[in-house]
Amino acid sequence: MVRVTNLRKHFNGHKVLAGINFRVRKGEAVALIGPSGSGKTTLIRTINGFVIPDAGTIAVGGQEIKYRNPESLRQARKKIGMIYQLFNLVERTSVQVNVMAGALGRLDRGLSLLSSTLGFFTRQEREKARELLGFVGLEDKVRERVDRLSGGQKQRVAIARALMQEPELLLADEPIANLDPKASKKIMELLLRINQEKKITLITVLHHLDSVRDHFGRVIALKEGAICFDAATRTLNDHRVQDIYSIEEEFACVAAQAGSI
Amino acid sequence: MRCRASWQYLNGTGRLWWWSLFLVILGFSFRISQVDVKSLIGGLYQSWALGREMLPPDFSRWKQVLTLAAETVAMGFWGTILGILISVPLGFLAARNTAKNYLIYQLAKTLVTLLRSIPDVIYAFFFVTAFGLGPQAGVAALTLATVGLLGKFYAEAVESIDEKPVEALAAAGSRGLSVIRHAIVPQVLPLFMGYNLYLLDHNIRVALALGVVGAGGLGVELFTQMRGFHYQKAAAILVIILVIITAIDRVSAYLRNRIIKGGFLHPGNRLPDAALLAAIGVLTLISIYFMPVDFKEMAAGAPRIWEFLKGMFPPDFSRISVYLKLMLETVGMGISGTFLAMALAIPLGVLAARNVSHNPVIYNLAKEITNFLRAIPDLVFALIFVVAVGLGPFAGVLALGLNTAGFLGKFYAEAIENVDPKPVEAVEATGARFLQRIGHAIFPQVLPLFNSYNLYILDRNIRYSTIMGLVGAGGIGFELVMTSRMFEYRQMAAMLLVILTTILLVDWLSAYLRKRVV
Ligand SMILES: Nc1ncnc2c1ncn2[C@@H]1O[C@H](COP(=O)(O)OP(=O)(O)OP(=O)(O)O)[C@@H](O)[C@H]1O
Ligand SMILES: [Mg+2]
């Protein structure tokens, strides 16, 4: 489903991604961990085309992402849903209008382009938005303004917006970093349910190792822009966690990576 | 709860309803101001044709033009100085905390409000009628307009001071003027100076246009050349006007920057003060050398104004139905002009916003067009369009629309540049197209700001639509000129009253709408 090959990126001389290679199969759920500044967000943003890599390729669903071709990039983004730490909703509008944004990529031609730009949608699309809001547990908030919702509710709206795209791949960058433990648990359960029931591939950046252990079968760890662990979650013991988050013992990291391939 | 009027809350039917209401108002105001698709396309073609006749600009009269330009700057300067002299006492009288007598306070406040609500060009017209053609009418008009603005700014500055030093001085036995001098003036002086500079900038721009109604300066020359079919000579004057306005823009942006950085007018900071003093010094020298008016003569003319005012009484309302009909056309022009401005400003504003307009060529082009539209005063546009598309309200709509499209475009672009980028990226990440991103992620964020700008421009355009007729661009202004030519001053007075009433009504209405919608 996702194939990342030799991915490199640097920002003003500072190496952020130093040759990343991995594959994610269709329907898989992967947790991406690593210390702050290790390049997790950068990696996620290269997958949906907001960061252009210096070298290497990414293919999603067999299609290579062409960063220089806006139309092809847009087609690629249509099938990738994205969940953010700060939800990134349009605060002043209603829940429903925010969810409808997920349909825009589909309504990209002729009359439907015009009407969707002006905020008119077909009954079918509106029904679908309502149905998805039911799925994430917000059926009674359809007309509520987003700025009146709690953090957990906002993240549900964002998830419904992503689902509205009918994505093949769902990316989430620290989706629960701004939520309380209870809401965090519910959001993680919701994401995993989507992964299992709808067979949508899921890649999530997480800082809570407990959540990682509870929910994910596979973990990829980044350290200083390189993958230093990529294996089943059960093999992630305390010693390896120390390796990932410690700064000195680089050789241990290399060893762990060699072991996992 | 103000959210009941919120657009985002509306479902499809609700939006349809609002769009229909919008279209009805649009259709109605286009009808009464004689705008339709055919005339718009025709107007475009005719303006293009006129534009070609204006090229290349003919600078053969550059000596006269430059002298007139200096005279125009001097008009702006002296109008500001006289305005400041009157505004200082008036500002203190119109401030709640320094006015001793409630009646005087209310009178001063009302006077300032009235002076502010009447467009500067109406004053110019009035003084041209009373004094005769020439720069003294312009200076007098600028003085009154300045008092309307500065009187309010000063009063607000005085009302916002810290009361503690005032109380301390009062407790020590000081009173009246002495308290003002020692406790209030030091506090408000920097603010006052800032406002004075702003007015100076504003007045020089306005002075460029006033001549179009005969009140002296470069505008007179522009009017003469346009009416004499010397379009290339007129184009040269337009170029000079643009250069002057751009120069003022640059200088005042530089000075404003200094003020924001705190270097301006602060003791111990010599350099910016030197720059400021130099700028003002040059301006003063120009203004003295090209002295546009003889103040003795102006003072001697004051009794004539009194005579003139007496001649206007009692106002003659016998043709009131004609005035009302014309006033309706005038308001229609203001509304149509605002719609035109909005229609032009939306693409201009989007393309001139750095965060959405990534192509540098398009971005700079949009920005320069906005600056250009803003720099040409609407009365000058009106003069040009009257020649291009003929007498009548359509020329006025084009003039108001183009000039305020420049303002709105700038406001819109700034609003868009300040949106929260996070939701915009999220909507882009769904694979939405450019227009959809504007509609879904940017428009909802800027809508309240846009509404308040639109309302401000609508208010302003209805006010200024009354002056379009002074150059033949439709509305009640034309009738005003006609009656004044026939010395029917009592009818003129009635018309001025109709205009004033309408303006006050619109002011009140827009204040009300602002509270409800924005
Ligand atoms: N647009 C950019 N310009 C310059 N440097 C950047 C940019 N984006 C990221 N970086 C740098 O790249 C490095 C990796 O950043 P990134 O956001 O990918 O880390 P992260 O693993 O997501 O960290 P965190 O856990 O704190 O979110 C950091 O040093 C950051 O400063
Ligand atoms: Mg990050």
Side-chain angles (χ1 to χ4, degrees):
Chain A
M1 178 70 216
V2 181
R3 196 183 63 229
V4 176
T5 322
N6 283 326
L7 201 67
R8 285 172 196 282
K9 176 72 192 175
H10 68 89
F11 286 114
N12 350 311
H14 173 66
K15 201 181 272 182
V16 177
L17 296 177
I20 304 272
N21 288 288
F22 67 91
R23 283 166 179 242
V24 176
R25 271 175 285 111
K26 186 161 174 50
E28 218 177 345
V30 179
L32 188 58
I33 64 171
S36 189
S38 57
K40 305 181 294 295
T41 298
T42 307
L43 175 58
I44 292 285
R45 282 164 60 86
T46 46
I47 299 177
N48 65 0
F50 284 93
V51 170
I52 302 175
D54 300 332
T57 57
I58 295 183
V60 175
Q63 295 274 337
E64 192 178 304
I65 307 231
K66 297 199 191 71
Y67 294 91
R68 305 283 170 197
N69 178 342
E71 180 55 24
S72 137
L73 191 57
R74 203 174 67 74
Q75 295 299 340
R77 281 175 180 159
K78 275 159 68 166
K79 54 190 184 190
I80 307 174
M82 177 76 192
I83 311 288
Y84 301 84
Q85 176 178 349
L86 297 172
F87 327 120
N88 295 21
L89 300 169
V90 186
E91 294 273 330
R92 298 189 68 265
T93 66
S94 72
V95 166
Q96 186 178 23
V97 169
N98 266 282
V99 176
M100 295 313 299
L104 295 175
R106 272 200 291 289
L107 306 168
D108 55 356
R109 249 161 253 291
L111 208 58
S112 59
L113 171 64
L114 186 70
S115 58
S116 66
T117 299
L118 295 175
F120 296 103
F121 294 91
T122 60
R123 173 179 299 271
Q124 207 183 341
E125 298 285 358
R126 277 180 285 149
E127 286 294 318
K128 189 173 157 64
R130 207 158 298 153
E131 199 180 294
L132 286 171
L133 281 167
F135 177 79
V136 301
L138 287 177
E139 51 279 277
D140 53 337
K141 300 282 184 198
V142 179
R143 305 208 144 246
E144 192 76 49
R145 252 172 79 143
V146 166
D147 45 17
R148 306 248 177 85
L149 300 181
S150 71
Q153 289 169 331
K154 285 184 186 173
Q155 197 58 295
R156 286 162 194 275
V157 177
I159 291 172
R161 173 175 67 189
L163 290 179
M164 194 70 191
Q165 288 173 244
E166 299 174 345
E168 296 168 20
L169 169 66
L170 203 53
L171 304 173
D173 191 358
E174 307 191 24
I176 55 172
N178 271 45
L179 303 179
D180 65 54
K182 208 170 134 211
S184 298
K185 188 158 180 290
K186 287 201 171 144
I187 292 295
M188 284 320 297
E189 281 166 3
L190 181 60
L191 286 175
L192 268 296
R193 209 176 104 211
I194 290 165
N195 169 247
Q196 274 147 26
E197 284 179 15
K198 299 188 187 270
K199 302 275 175 273
I200 296 175
T201 314
L202 177 66
I203 302 179
T204 308
V205 176
L206 271 184
H207 274 311
H208 288 247
L209 286 181
D210 290 342
S211 299
V212 174
R213 291 207 170 89
D214 287 351
H215 300 290
F216 290 86
R218 176 179 168 196
V219 177
I220 298 178
L222 282 186
K223 183 174 179 179
E224 290 170 10
I227 292 185
C228 72
F229 179 92
D230 180 358
T233 312
R234 62 190 144 70
T235 65
L236 184 71
N237 56 30
D238 287 353
H239 182 66
R240 287 201 159 137
V241 168
Q242 244 173 22
D243 286 347
I244 294 165
Y245 288 95
S246 74
I247 304 160
E248 317 95 295
E249 302 170 65
E250 242 154 86
F251 64 93
C253 199
V254 176
Q257 192 177 13
S260 73
I261 295 172
Chain B
M1 293 285 116
R2 296 201 196 124
C3 51
R4 72 190 117 82
S6 192
W7 171 258
Q8 289 81 21
Y9 252 166
L10 299 170
N11 52 15
T13 344
R15 286 184 183 204
L16 218 53
W17 206 90
W18 277 105
W19 277 114
S20 324
L21 183 70
F22 181 81
L23 288 177
V24 167
I25 297 179
L26 182 81
F28 190 68
S29 58
F30 272 13
R31 226 189 122 90
I32 51 182
S33 54
Q34 302 169 20
V35 182
D36 54 51
V37 178
K38 216 175 84 187
S39 57
L40 273 175
I41 294 171
L44 209 63
Y45 173 74
Q46 288 156 330
S47 308
W48 171 252
L50 178 63
R52 284 207 348 207
E53 282 188 57
M54 292 173 99
L55 292 179
D58 170 3
F59 285 96
S60 58
R61 277 171 59 82
W62 62 273
K63 260 191 201 148
Q64 289 94 324
V65 170
L66 284 186
T67 313
L68 280 171
E71 181 185 292
T72 315
V73 171
M75 272 167 62
F77 181 85
W78 292 115
T80 313
I81 297 285
L82 291 183
I84 292 172
L85 289 180
I86 301 175
S87 301
V88 170
L90 204 58
F92 282 104
L93 291 177
R96 216 179 315 105
N97 50 346
T98 48
K100 286 278 163 325
N101 181 320
Y102 184 76
L103 189 70
I104 292 180
Y105 159 69
Q106 278 299 342
L107 273 175
K109 217 177 126 145
T110 313
L111 178 63
V112 169
T113 312
L114 275 179
L115 284 174
R116 195 177 52 253
S117 58
I118 299 171
D120 32 43
V121 183
I122 297 264
Y123 294 133
F125 166 75
F126 176 85
F127 286 120
V128 164
T129 318
F131 278 151
L133 297 168
Q136 62 268 48
V139 172
L142 287 169
T143 305
L144 288 193
T146 305
V147 173
L149 289 166
L150 272 189
K152 178 175 187 250
F153 294 162
Y154 284 180
E156 282 173 358
V158 171
E159 281 174 358
S160 67
I161 58 160
D162 179 5
E163 292 285 347
K164 278 193 240 62
V166 180
E167 279 161 22
L169 273 187
S174 297
R175 54 184 65 229
L177 282 176
S178 164
V179 174
I180 291 186
R181 197 168 106 67
H182 291 106
I184 299 180
V185 168
Q187 289 194 56
V188 294
L189 195 61
L191 267 179
F192 275 27
M193 292 310 274
Y195 293 141
N196 294 347
L197 277 185
Y198 166 75
L199 255 292
L200 185 60
D201 168 340
H202 176 80
N203 280 344
I204 295 175
R205 292 163 200 256
V206 175
L208 291 166
L210 285 186
V212 172
V213 295
L218 210 47
V220 177
E221 178 77 4
L222 183 66
F223 186 82
T224 316
Q225 301 298 0
M226 279 310 277
R227 283 296 149 88
F229 310 107
H230 304 303
Y231 299 136
Q232 296 181 333
K233 292 201 175 93
I237 299 166
L238 278 179
V239 171
I240 300 285
I241 291 182
L242 263 179
V243 169
I244 295 177
I245 288 182
T246 314
I248 297 173
D249 260 351
R250 291 284 145 81
V251 172
S252 67
Y254 170 79
L255 291 176
R256 238 195 323 273
N257 206 8
R258 288 293 193 182
I259 296 176
I260 290 168
K261 282 185 188 149
F264 168 62
L265 283 176
H266 280 246
N269 204 336
R270 288 277 151 98
L271 192 67
D273 287 41
L276 180 68
L277 287 179
I280 294 195
V282 170
L283 210 62
T284 313
L285 284 182
I286 292 180
S287 304
I288 291 175
Y289 188 79
F290 292 92
M291 190 65 153
V293 289
D294 182 344
F295 287 112
K296 252 190 249 153
E297 201 179 291
M298 233 173 126
R304 251 193 298 156
I305 302 249
W306 180 242
E307 285 301 307
F308 182 71
L309 279 174
K310 272 204 299 202
M312 288 171 81
F313 275 89
D316 173 3
F317 282 101
S318 56
R319 299 180 60 228
I320 182 78
S321 62
V322 177
Y323 304 156
L324 289 181
K325 212 177 132 241
L326 281 170
M327 202 60 228
L328 186 71
E329 179 183 287
T330 311
V331 172
M333 275 165 58
I335 300 176
S336 305
T338 308
F339 280 134
L340 181 63
M342 283 161 64
L344 293 171
I346 287 178
L348 277 177
V350 168
L351 296 176
R354 203 168 314 129
N355 54 340
V356 286
S357 179
H358 296 306
N359 184 327
V361 177
I362 294 180
Y363 164 74
N364 281 311
L365 192 69
K367 232 178 126 109
E368 287 311 318
I369 292 177
T370 336
N371 285 339
F372 172 78
L373 293 177
R374 218 154 34 92
I376 305 271
D378 43 9
L379 210 57
V380 172
F381 267 128
L383 190 63
I384 297 171
F385 282 122
V386 162
V387 175
V389 305
L391 294 170
F394 180 51
V397 172
L398 288 179
L400 291 169
L402 284 184
N403 181 224
T404 51
F407 285 97
L408 273 186
K410 181 174 191 274
F411 297 162
Y412 285 1
E414 278 168 8
I416 292 173
E417 282 174 355
N418 286 322
V419 299
D420 177 5
K422 293 197 300 293
V424 184
E425 181 183 312
V427 171
E428 185 169 6
T430 67
R433 280 183 187 276
F434 180 75
L435 281 179
Q436 294 172 318
R437 298 203 295 271
I438 304 283
H440 273 257
I442 291 181
F443 191 64
Q445 292 194 58
V446 294
L447 190 68
L449 264 181
F450 275 28
N451 269 340
S452 96
Y453 295 144
N454 291 341
L455 217 56
Y456 164 73
I457 291 292
L458 178 65
D459 182 356
R460 184 237 177 247
N461 275 347
I462 292 180
R463 210 164 342 141
Y464 279 78
S465 61
T466 55
I467 65 171
M468 289 291 125
L470 299 179
V471 292
I476 196 164
F478 194 56
E479 187 69 13
L480 205 57
V481 179
M482 285 308 158
T483 35
S484 84
R485 295 246 170 93
M486 299 194 292
F487 309 107
E488 297 281 4
Y489 295 136
R490 287 172 51 218
Q491 288 192 17
M492 205 176 103
M495 242 181 289
L496 286 174
L497 284 176
V498 170
I499 291 176
L500 184 64
T501 314
T502 313
I503 288 176
L504 291 179
L505 218 65
V506 170
D507 262 358
W508 174 80
L509 197 70
S510 83
Y512 171 79
L513 276 179
R514 191 176 300 273
K515 253 188 232 141
R516 280 193 59 121
V517 180
V518 182

